[in-house]
Each structure stands twice: as structure tokens, then as C-alpha cells.
Amino acid sequence: MTSEDIPQQDWSLFGVENPPAPPAEPDHIVWDFPGGEAHVHLAPGPRVLRRPVIVSDGFNAGPSNFAALYDALERADFPFVTELHNRGYDLILLGYEDRAASILDNAKVATECVFRALSERQGDAPLTVGGFSMGGLITRYALAKMETQKMDHQTALYFSFDSPHRGASIPIALQALAHFLKPTAPKLSAQINSPAARQLLWRHIETVQAEPVEDPLRTEFLEALKRVGDWPMRPRKIGIANGRGDGTGIDVPAGEPALECTKGGFRPTTLRTQSPDNRVVLAHLKDYVREIDVRHRGLAAADGAPGGTLDSYDIAAKNLTKPLLGMAAVAHHPEICFVPSGSAVDLRDIDDSTLYENLKDANQQESGLDEILFSNENTRHSRVTEQLGTWLLDQLPRH
């Protein structure tokens, strides 16, 4: 068997191939925009929009999956939609034709959604606008730009939910694997190299052996934020972290084996957790014709930091296990920190000196957010727990 004999794989950073379909989304109204759409779930009672809460989707491959987005909000740990409706608020789910497109482009969709909500609203209740993960950055930029253009967005509350205000971290070993697997899993490499990923990631590599850098698209995005004042000024701004704030991480030591291919043509491919020690081979990559070692100097040991987590190594191991092809892999450390707590609440850059800091003692005025909340435990990125969901609901404008 050669690499050409392996069927094309269709998996992404966030899930395995052919995941089970979520339940159908309940009845809703659809608003179409260039580049996206919104699904409006009105609160019980008069079938009119009265108290709009716009919730933006985040980063992934392809178009927004509204059924999955609704399912994550309502049927995971906490029935957020039900509780939102019980308090008399209307939910507007905002999605995009391409979730991996530039944040600046998708911000145009968010702006259209804000104006549509204002035109459809009955009464004068102010808007709540925000999002999960990258959705918090999209709406942050959209609202700030509207203010610089003297547009009245009538938004009383902006929220971000585990949004990477200071950057997100996908281990360089996993990025290298994605590019190494490009012949058999092209979508994975394309996702890593998408405009949104380049804007989100603290460090990015474009090819297997490229040097990790802040991508020029990220630099441009940060400069674009500065041009609109960094943050919207009119609304109250709150931020939620899926990670702890006391410096307690997820017990993923630096430089240890995280994933190993144990059978098949990729054996003995091995990925190690991120380490600042350049003596550590972060990735030993092998297929039927190539064998490459990847090592770099000065990378933050971010995999085990407190923050919102992703099952990244577990996803990769499952997708590299193909019994019919004689392939198997194991994840020794299934999850990693994707959005460090300090990034989610705009308090700290991604740096070894601050990743494990007790941020509960930090000066919260260093954040661009007015109020922040850390999770009691390190939880899955963007997961709405009872603690986090209840706090968000309690912050909504009472008008």
C-alpha cells in the first residue's frame, strides 16, 4: 500500500469524519444576507421580535450548521435557549457561508444582522450582540466599526464567550501533521491556512517545516481593530472564559508524547505536546515515502494551560485509526487548551510567563472588557455550562 491508496479523508480540527447529525432545529424565521444568514427563534407569546439577542457562530470549516449550533446551546449541559425565552428574550443565531473566511468579511454580515434586527424590532428594547469563539471577535469588530462610522447600533450589551481576544493556540505539531497529511486530508491543511485561522492563531505555520510566526493576516486584523478603537464603546462589555482563572491547567506536561500512530503506514508518527525546548522533536512524521522531524525554539507550553479545551489529539487519533486499512493511533493526551483563560478575558497574551498565572488577582482594568467571568473548571471550548450560561443571562439588559 502507498499513500495514494488511502481514501481522501474529510475531517477537520473540530470533529471526526461523518459525525452524527444533530436533531432538527425548531421552527424559526430566516433572514438572508450576502455572505450569511440568521435564524430567528422568537420567545413565546406575540410572534414579534421584541428583545433581540444576537449570537454569532464561530470558527470552523464551511457554512454554519444551524442545527448543531442550536443543539449546542440548548441540549448540552444547560438549556440556554429555553432559559433565554423564559426571560422574554428572542434568540437570533447568526451564521456564515464560510466560517473560515476573514473576520473582517464576516463582520459585514454581522452589521447587516444588527440593522435587520433594529428594523424588525417592535418597541425600543436595546440589543444584545456577541458570540462564541471567533463570533465574539466578529461582533466586537462590527460594533466598533459601526461606531466609527457614526452608525447607531442601539446595543446595550456586548458579550464574548471564550473568544480568543489575545489569540488561540493549535499545537504546532498538529499544524505540521495537517500539512503533512495534505495529500489524503486536504481540507485539514486548508482549514489551518484559512484566513480566519491565520487571524486567530497566536502562532501559525503554512507548511510542514515553516517557522512558527504571527501570520501577516493576524497582524493586519489587529491593526484593523486598532483603527476602529479596539472595542465598541457604547455597550457594556462582558467576557466569559471556559477556563479557570486561578492558574490551574489541564495536566498536559510539555514535551510528552500526545499522539502515536501504532499501526499502518504512518507508524511511528509521533506528536509531542508543545514545549519551549528546541531539543524536543515536536513531531516525527512518517508515511510511505517521507519521514520528517519538526522542532522549534521558544514556543509557549500552551497545551496544558488553563482555558477552553478541544479534544484535538483525540480527534486526530480517531481519524488516523482505519481498521480496514490496518491503521491505528492512540492519544496519550486527548485534549489541549485552545483558548487560554487570559486570552478569553483580554488580560494576558499567550506567553510562558503568564499562561499559568492566577488571574483572579490581576488588575481587571487591564482588560478591554468591563466585567469578566472564569469557569469553575476548565471546560470544553464554547460549552455553555449552568454556571456560565446563568451568569450570561443575568447580565442581559432588563429593559
Side-chain angles (χ1 to χ4, degrees):
M1 179 182 289
T2 68
S3 57
E4 285 75 20
D5 297 317
I6 300 175
Q8 289 276 303
Q9 308 296 302
D10 187 17
W11 51 285
S12 77
L13 296 169
F14 303 105
V16 296
E17 283 189 284
N18 304 315
E25 188 182 5
D27 289 342
H28 55 274
I29 301 166
V30 177
W31 296 343
D32 288 313
F33 310 113
E37 63 185 73
H39 289 195
V40 183
H41 294 265
L42 298 172
R47 305 302 290 169
V48 296
L49 185 70
R50 295 174 299 175
R51 303 171 78 189
V53 176
I54 297 175
V55 177
S56 171
D57 199 4
F59 173 66
N60 210 324
S64 289
N65 182 334
F66 284 92
L69 181 56
Y70 184 94
D71 190 57
L73 286 175
E74 177 66 5
R75 304 187 186 100
D77 294 347
F78 179 70
F80 181 81
V81 180
T82 295
E83 294 298 328
L84 184 75
H85 282 167
N86 286 343
R87 298 182 186 217
Y89 296 93
D90 305 299
L91 173 65
I92 302 173
L93 295 177
L94 173 60
Y96 308 98
E97 289 181 0
D98 183 3
R99 289 174 289 179
S102 167
I103 293 170
L104 305 180
D105 290 340
N106 280 336
K108 298 173 185 176
V109 185
T111 300
E112 291 293 326
C113 185
V114 167
F115 282 129
R116 180 67 181 269
L118 292 174
S119 69
E120 297 281 348
R121 178 192 58 183
Q122 300 294 307
D124 60 357
L127 273 59
T128 294
V129 179
F132 289 80
S133 189
M134 186 182 73
L137 298 183
I138 292 171
T139 49
R140 169 185 166 184
Y141 178 80
L143 292 174
K145 186 174 182 180
M146 291 171 74
E147 290 181 1
T148 64
Q149 296 177 335
K150 310 301 182 185
M151 298 177 179
D152 186 7
H153 52 62
Q154 298 182 40
T155 299
L157 180 70
Y158 159 83
F159 76 92
S160 64
F161 203 112
D162 217 40
S163 298
H165 294 293
R166 304 276 187 111
S169 177
I170 294 175
I172 294 300
L174 275 172
Q175 294 188 47
L177 176 69
H179 299 316
F180 187 77
L181 294 176
K182 188 174 180 179
T184 55
K187 289 186 179 180
L188 187 59
S189 177
Q191 190 176 15
I192 291 287
N193 280 341
S194 67
R198 293 172 184 265
Q199 292 168 326
L200 290 174
L201 292 177
W202 166 74
R203 291 293 180 266
H204 173 265
I205 58 173
E206 188 173 2
T207 60
V208 174
Q209 294 184 301
E211 189 69 23
V213 296
E214 178 179 285
D215 192 90
L217 284 183
R218 175 165 178 76
T219 305
E220 291 174 11
F221 169 63
L222 295 176
E223 291 172 351
L225 267 177
K226 287 181 181 179
R227 287 195 295 272
V228 296
D230 272 326
W231 296 88
M233 291 294 106
R234 296 179 194 171
R236 177 170 171 253
K237 299 176 288 294
I238 64 173
I240 294 171
N242 276 110
R244 296 174 62 139
D246 62 0
T248 303
I250 58 173
D251 192 24
V252 180
E256 287 198 355
L259 179 149
E260 289 185 274
C261 292
T262 56
K263 293 181 181 178
F266 293 120
R267 180 178 178 271
T269 287
T270 302
L271 307 186
R272 291 181 176 269
T273 55
Q274 199 147 287
S275 171
D277 187 348
N278 70 322
R279 295 171 298 178
V280 174
V281 178
L282 292 176
H284 176 74
L285 306 170
K286 180 185 177 300
D287 64 9
Y288 297 93
V289 295
R290 299 171 296 166
E291 195 160 2
I292 298 172
D293 282 344
V294 175
R295 65 180 84 207
H296 295 288
R297 181 189 303 273
L299 293 173
D303 291 0
T309 66
L310 288 179
D311 298 331
S312 298
Y313 288 118
D314 186 56
I315 290 169
K318 287 176 178 175
N319 283 300
L320 288 167
T321 297
K322 307 288 182 184
L324 294 179
L325 298 174
M327 296 166 53
V330 60
H332 301 295
H333 291 289
E335 65 179 1
I336 55 100
C337 170
F338 178 53
V339 179
S341 297
S343 176
V345 296
D346 190 45
L347 273 176
R348 293 292 184 268
D349 293 332
I350 298 177
D351 184 272
D352 266 331
S353 64
T354 58
L355 277 171
Y356 297 86
E357 180 183 347
N358 183 351
L359 296 176
K360 291 186 175 181
D361 296 333
N363 181 0
Q364 295 192 5
Q365 291 186 348
E366 296 177 44
S367 171
L369 296 158
D370 299 312
E371 193 166 356
I372 62 177
L373 179 70
F374 297 105
S375 175
N376 291 333
E377 301 294 339
N378 294 308
T379 52
R380 183 174 173 82
H381 173 59
S382 293
R383 182 174 289 274
V384 184
T385 64
E386 182 175 1
Q387 176 213 358
L388 304 181
T390 300
W391 186 81
L392 175 54
L393 291 168
D394 288 344
Q395 311 309 308
L396 297 178
R398 299 293 197 274
H399 181 83

